[in-house]
Amino acid sequence: MTAEVWRDPAIPAGERVADLLSRMSLREKVAQLYGVWVGINTTDGEMAPHQHELAAPPEDWEALIGNGIGQLTRPFGTRPVEPAAGARVLARTQRQIMAAGRFGIPAFVHEEILTGLAAWQATIYPSPLCWGASFDPALIERVGARIGRTMRRLGVHQGLAPVLDVARDLRWGRVEETIGEDPYLVGTIGSAYVRGVESTGAVATLKHFVGYSASKGGRNLAPVSIGRRELADVLLPPFEMALRAGARSVMNSYADLDGVPAAADPGLFTDLLRGTYGFTGTVVSDYFAVTFLEILHNVAGSPGEAATLALNAGIDVELPTVKYFGQPLLDMIESGQMSLATVDRALERVLLQKCELGLLDADWSPEPPILDDADANAGTGTGTEADTKADADARLDDAESRALARELAQRSIVLLRNERSALPLAPGRRIALIGPRAHESSAMLGCYSFPMHVGVHHPDVPMSIDVPTLLDALSEDPAGYQISYAQGVPVLGGDDAGIDEAVRLASDAEVCVVVLGDKAGLFGGGTSGEGCDATDLRLPGRQEELLEALLATGTPIVLVLLVGRPYELSRQVDRLAAVLCGFFPGEEGAHALADVLSGRINPSGRLPVGFPAAGSSQPSTYLAAPLGHASEVSTVDPTALFPFGHGLSYAPATWLEITRRTPSQWPTDGACTLSVALRNDSQLPTSEVVQVYLHDPVAEVARPVQKLIAAPRVDLAPGQTRTVTLELHADLTSYTGRAGLRQVDPGEVELRIGASSTDIRETVRLTMTGDRREVGFERVMQPVVTVTEGVTGPTAPNGVAASEDVTVV
């Protein structure tokens, strides 16, 4: 045993942390509660709101690290840095921090990981809307694990993702960062990502707790005025699911919820998150959120008051850099206005997490594993020519990562329309490829990808990874297409001459593929992304005008959308031959789109957000009570043009039968079981997402007309038959009643089984029996899914149970 209890890995973590905490001075304690953004300056563009005003570089580094540092902010994600070289700098920085403090405690290192690790030369995966469109949690878990391994390889401990905000208003710029508009989908996919990241030892951070996406008018940081039922039944369930998946950190929402900023609300972070949910990890502030309590929300009169509000609420760590949790917090403690016990409470959580990751162990090494790869080849690490070659060999964007990015892109592309089998495109066709997104690598990337988040501020630095455009991919496609290209118009702006050139090319082609959409950016630097909210849902700039001009040529038009949000296409959709939506499909997105356009890959994505119909400023989603849908009492019809869950296929699965395998009486504390038999009658591999929606005809409150409670994805080889069986616990019918408690009611319910929220193949009516039950955080939130070969219902040779009720589709 070592002389100091806190250094001994054989002793329970709680005892080690208690020993260390008892030895620390006040300044050493407070130093663990903030991050430091060492690479920031005031000349680069803003990556966070108010960055230039609030994130000045530390004036005296040596003095700052004398008491230790809690976190290092984005050493790889602040400016372009070669990975192995950056890892050497990080190791040197960690050694400095350890040598300067009495206890030698290393800093936690965090980075953004929304579309992969946001670092120069790292793989850029499809954006979260693509995760949702895949309806494939197993694949997303693999992506999360791959990203987590990359983090750990570089010495990064914590990743700021996933975003679990449920999309509520499609005008909001950060829709592209969400997984979708349904809490079950967001929770299922987000939990899978968490499991993947956490399986590597890295810490996943849930964003943004809670209510951020429900801001008024779809405006970033705008106030949120929603009822407790929408909070409990729509916005909180994804966080509950992800916490149960093992997430160890949570980040606050910027917004105020009914007037109380989240960062100052102990009801959210202490009572609910820790009390009700039992969360024991760390809560980190979103960037500058503590400062915003004073300068934006006006709920604090001084930096010290803001720090006190946040710490009392349950914020443990101030990010991105030391400001209000520095001297202002020390002053409040020393004046008796801030309890030292509250400081110790936050510190214990921070130290426990460092202990879990081995940072308190005596033999912890600051050398990131990537240096083993680089220095094994060079052997010096001193900047020699051999080091430069070795650094180049220590690749982050390797073949396996690119293949995974392509697989996700392929499985997330959604075929929205395909009239007269316009797709796939036959080999050798003369194609006019038109549009502002057809020959731009940036068209594939979301706002939190490194090139769009950081790289745009360093135009002299190459992107460093290969991100083909759709023109690149189709020009080299083995189908031998004859491609002519014109931009037509940029995303914003443009002139008539560009449109005229596009029309000329389209007129001479057999088919016109037009690629429209968004430019991702930050705070006005794009048409989608953080701080890039929309006033309506029409295509940006003159893109709709370009589309109309192309339609007028009479050449069949295939529309490809590379977007951060759905747009309103009602004026053109009936004249389009086909529509594909890729959202932001990442570095391999162009190849994936070419795979689908050519027919090598059968499209299988499903919409995680509905596309609006006429009335382009309507923010509604499918998850609405009866009067939120079309009715005789309003002239506005919010019915979607393409509904949630929609997605076509070149070779759709055949639905053979839907079987209820348990009695029609469903106990309020029990489960019912359904099975769906599917067959692939084509020569192409295909997939079906079997979507089960709950409809509650009579409830204590106005509930959504239907809500998703299960959505297994079933892959089918040519000629294959498979049966998916779903065990649905009664807890999946629960909702928040008038008393503010979650309850399962007796009475009639319907299970609507189909291929989308509107393509319902069968409705199963059941009666919930027994007493009303109250349920909480430990309730069942996901079905038990089993997939077997063949038909296992009544037509199977083994026979069936007496309780079965079969519908042949």
Side-chain angles (χ1 to χ4, degrees):
M1 181 181 293
T2 61
E4 297 173 314
V5 170
W6 69 274
R7 281 291 193 193
D8 190 347
I11 294 175
E15 295 179 28
R16 295 175 65 187
V17 167
D19 177 62
L20 177 56
L21 196 150
S22 70
R23 300 167 184 261
M24 298 174 75
S25 70
L26 174 60
R27 288 185 176 271
E28 288 167 335
K29 290 179 177 181
V30 169
Q32 292 295 315
L33 305 185
Y34 52 70
V36 176
W37 204 343
V38 291
I40 202 65
N41 61 45
T42 57
T43 59
D44 292 340
E46 286 195 328
M47 293 174 285
H50 296 264
Q51 174 185 311
H52 288 164
E53 306 152 52
L54 304 178
E59 294 181 2
D60 190 338
W61 171 249
E62 296 297 332
L64 182 64
I65 64 176
N67 293 306
I69 284 177
Q71 292 222 13
L72 287 172
T73 293
R74 295 173 66 173
F76 297 95
T78 297
R79 59 171 47 86
V81 55
E82 192 281 322
R88 292 192 183 94
V89 172
L90 175 59
R92 183 169 64 246
T93 302
Q94 290 280 36
R95 285 193 292 268
Q96 290 175 344
I97 294 168
M98 294 165 69
R102 282 197 303 149
F103 301 104
I105 304 172
F108 230 53
V109 179
H110 78 261
E111 294 284 355
E112 297 285 357
I113 59 167
L114 192 67
T115 58
L117 177 66
W120 197 53
Q121 300 184 9
T123 303
I124 303 172
Y125 293 91
S127 64
L129 278 178
C130 296
W131 309 358
S134 78
F135 276 77
D136 193 341
L139 176 56
I140 302 306
E141 184 169 344
R142 288 168 52 206
V143 170
R146 192 85 190 177
I147 293 168
R149 285 193 291 272
T150 302
M151 292 166 57
R152 301 295 280 150
R153 192 175 170 216
L154 289 172
V156 177
H157 308 106
Q158 180 172 6
L160 305 186
V163 169
L164 297 181
D165 300 302
V166 178
R168 301 298 286 162
D169 187 328
L170 300 177
R171 297 171 297 179
W172 190 46
R174 302 192 79 168
V175 166
E176 69 165 75
E177 299 176 47
T178 73
I179 295 168
E181 68 180 51
D182 180 88
Y184 172 81
L185 177 64
V186 173
T188 300
I189 296 295
S191 296
Y193 184 79
V194 166
R195 285 193 299 272
V197 172
E198 292 276 353
S199 72
T200 68
V203 174
T205 307
L206 311 182
K207 301 160 58 170
H208 305 86
F209 199 77
V210 63
Y212 190 24
S213 58
S215 58
K216 288 184 176 178
R219 296 178 59 244
N220 193 38
L221 272 67
V224 175
S225 300
I226 59 173
R228 60 182 178 177
R229 193 160 290 103
E230 183 175 351
L231 183 69
D233 291 354
V234 177
L235 301 180
L236 283 172
F239 290 94
E240 296 178 80
M241 295 169 75
L243 289 170
R244 288 163 59 170
R248 288 182 286 172
S249 191
V250 173
M251 176 178 277
N252 70 279
S253 160
Y254 279 128
D256 74 73
L257 190 57
D258 195 25
V260 181
D265 191 349
L268 287 179
F269 289 102
T270 298
D271 299 341
L272 180 62
L273 181 63
R274 298 194 184 277
T276 302
Y277 297 166
F279 179 64
T280 59
T282 58
V283 175
V284 298
S285 79
D286 205 342
Y287 285 15
F288 310 115
V290 178
T291 302
F292 289 170
L293 296 177
E294 180 193 12
I295 69 171
L296 295 185
H297 291 295
N298 299 337
V299 296
S302 68
E305 286 183 17
T308 299
L309 280 173
L311 202 60
N312 281 333
I315 302 289
D316 300 319
V317 179
E318 180 186 25
L319 296 181
T321 201
V322 54
K323 198 163 182 72
Y324 285 16
F325 273 26
Q327 192 60 48
L329 178 58
L330 287 166
D331 292 343
M332 297 298 282
I333 298 166
E334 291 169 347
S335 68
Q337 298 178 73
M338 179 71 217
S339 167
L340 183 58
T342 305
V343 173
D344 287 348
R345 179 185 72 177
L347 176 61
E348 180 181 17
R349 297 163 184 162
V350 170
L351 293 179
L352 275 171
Q353 206 153 82
K354 290 191 173 186
C355 188
E356 288 175 359
L357 271 71
L359 274 68
L360 302 187
D361 296 353
D363 62 352
W364 183 83
S365 171
E367 304 291 323
I370 194 174
L371 297 184
D372 296 338
D373 303 331
D375 294 343
N377 294 326
T380 63
T382 57
T384 64
E385 182 178 345
D387 281 330
T388 301
K389 180 181 183 303
D391 288 354
D393 291 339
R395 296 183 61 194
L396 301 183
D397 187 34
D398 55 25
E400 292 81 3
S401 299
R402 292 194 71 94
L404 185 59
R406 185 166 181 167
E407 181 182 354
L408 176 53
Q410 289 170 337
R411 289 173 74 84
S412 65
I413 292 169
V414 187
L415 179 61
L416 299 178
R417 177 180 169 87
N418 194 22
E419 291 301 298
R420 294 184 294 279
S421 299
L423 293 178
L425 299 172
R429 298 200 78 183
R430 295 193 324 278
I431 298 172
L433 185 63
I434 307 294
R437 304 284 80 192
H439 195 36
E440 287 285 345
S441 293
S442 63
M444 305 294 162
L445 310 179
C447 74
Y448 266 75
S449 65
F450 187 87
M452 307 310 294
H453 202 76
V454 179
V456 291
H457 306 302
H458 302 272
D460 55 323
V461 178
M463 191 177 288
S464 80
I465 60 172
D466 183 26
V467 184
T469 69
L470 188 54
L471 175 59
D472 297 329
L474 288 177
S475 297
E476 64 188 24
D477 195 274
Y481 299 122
Q482 303 173 55
I483 306 293
S484 59
Y485 162 74
Q487 182 192 54
V489 295
V491 172
L492 296 173
D495 55 34
D496 292 345
I499 295 176
D500 292 343
E501 170 67 6
V503 166
R504 184 184 66 79
L505 292 183
S507 299
D508 292 337
E510 291 179 275
V511 63
C512 175
V513 176
V514 57
V515 191
L516 306 179
D518 282 310
K519 174 187 176 183
L522 300 173
F523 311 110
T527 59
S528 172
E530 185 173 2
C532 297
D533 310 315
T535 56
D536 63 36
L537 295 175
R538 294 184 181 227
L539 285 163
R542 299 184 67 183
Q543 293 184 77
E544 185 174 334
E545 184 180 347
L546 171 64
L547 182 57
E548 285 288 357
L550 295 172
L551 285 165
T553 65
T555 300
I557 303 296
V558 174
L559 173 62
V560 175
L561 293 168
L562 296 172
V563 291
R565 62 168 67 84
Y567 283 103
E568 195 242 298
L569 306 171
S570 62
R571 287 168 298 282
Q572 295 85 31
V573 68
D574 289 341
R575 292 173 284 153
L576 293 169
V579 183
L580 276 178
C581 179
F583 296 111
F584 290 137
E587 64 179 39
E588 281 290 324
H591 286 142
L593 284 163
D595 290 338
V596 170
L597 287 166
S598 67
R600 288 187 299 275
I601 291 292
N602 187 13
S604 59
R606 302 293 186 268
L607 283 180
V609 284
F611 270 65
S616 59
S617 64
Q618 287 297 303
S620 61
T621 71
Y622 98 96
L623 202 67
L627 289 176
H629 294 265
S631 71
E632 296 179 354
V633 299
S634 173
T635 57
V636 175
D637 182 354
T639 302
L641 179 65
F642 298 117
F644 174 83
H646 171 72
L648 303 177
S649 169
Y650 297 152
T654 301
W655 289 56
L656 299 176
E657 59 191 34
I658 298 170
T659 306
R660 174 175 54 77
R661 294 180 169 273
T662 47
S664 60
Q665 307 294 307
W666 185 1
T668 56
D669 60 353
C672 78
T673 303
L674 303 172
S675 66
V676 179
L678 304 165
R679 186 176 64 229
N680 182 3
D681 293 320
S682 78
Q683 298 304 308
L684 290 174
T686 195
S687 289
E688 183 62 272
V689 178
V690 177
Q691 301 171 43
V692 181
Y693 294 87
L694 173 75
H695 171 64
D696 191 349
V698 179
E700 193 175 84
V701 300
R703 301 190 67 184
V705 171
Q706 58 183 9
K707 57 171 288 190
L708 189 69
I709 61 171
R713 177 171 176 144
V714 183
D715 292 334
L716 296 157
Q720 186 178 29
T721 299
R722 305 181 82 186
T723 297
V724 57
T725 301
L726 302 104
E727 181 182 297
L728 306 167
H729 196 278
D731 289 0
L732 296 172
T733 71
S734 66
Y735 67 98
T736 302
R738 291 188 184 185
L741 301 174
R742 183 172 291 278
Q743 61 194 48
V744 177
D745 288 349
E748 305 299 317
V749 296
E750 293 178 4
L751 298 178
R752 300 174 176 178
I753 304 105
S756 80
S757 57
T758 60
D759 182 6
I760 302 300
R761 305 298 174 89
E762 179 63 19
T763 298
V764 176
R765 293 174 175 83
L766 301 162
T767 302
M768 308 288 293
T769 59
D771 296 332
R772 171 181 287 173
R773 292 174 53 240
E774 291 181 3
V775 297
F777 179 68
E778 298 300 327
R779 70 191 182 277
V780 177
M781 299 188 72
Q782 291 181 299
V784 177
V785 177
T786 306
V787 180
T788 54
E789 293 299 313
V791 178
T792 56
T795 59
N798 296 334
V800 297
S803 61
E804 289 178 334
D805 185 10
V806 182
T807 299
V808 177
V809 182

